[in-house]
Amino acid sequence: MTMTHGFHAAIPARPGQGDALVALLLDAPSLSTEDCIVFLVGRSASNPDLVFVTEGWVNEEAHGRFFNSEVAKAFTARVQELVGGESQYADEVPVGGKAAI
């Protein structure tokens, strides 16, 4: 399946909430969505409250459709409770590589 839309986000958790944010993101509803091809969660090696997410979607429309759903809106609200600052986003479409987890 080809990806034409994606992003990389750096998300600062509230102090001491990095583990909770990672756990929540690893249970994201987009993981079971066919149009979401890549969903990787990582964190800073030097700051446990800085979390990263990389997503790859088949297209921008599929991403928008999913994030306008009630399940995604509810999930985003839960995530926001753990966010402690301004998230930084970069346009990124994953093209390959390896993730052994």
Side-chain angles (χ1 to χ4, degrees):
M1 197 175 283
T2 302
M3 288 178 277
T4 63
H5 178 73
F7 64 89
H8 178 78
I11 308 167
R14 293 183 186 274
Q17 295 298 306
D19 288 341
L21 181 56
V22 166
L24 182 60
L25 289 168
L26 289 174
D27 196 35
S30 52
L31 287 168
S32 61
T33 302
E34 186 175 290
D35 290 336
C36 181
I37 300 170
V38 173
F39 191 95
L40 297 175
V41 178
R43 68 186 331 160
S44 168
S46 62
N47 178 355
D49 290 327
L50 182 57
V51 178
F52 301 101
V53 175
T54 299
E55 294 188 34
W57 290 78
V58 293
N59 55 47
E60 189 172 1
E61 293 77 25
H63 178 251
R65 191 171 44 252
F66 176 76
F67 276 94
N68 282 317
S69 71
E70 291 305 314
V71 68
K73 289 178 183 177
F75 180 77
T76 301
R78 291 175 57 206
V79 167
Q80 288 304 314
E81 293 172 3
L82 299 172
V83 173
E86 188 73 28
S87 297
Q88 301 294 314
Y89 291 88
D91 177 32
E92 176 188 26
V93 177
V95 295
K98 179 179 178 180
I101 301 173

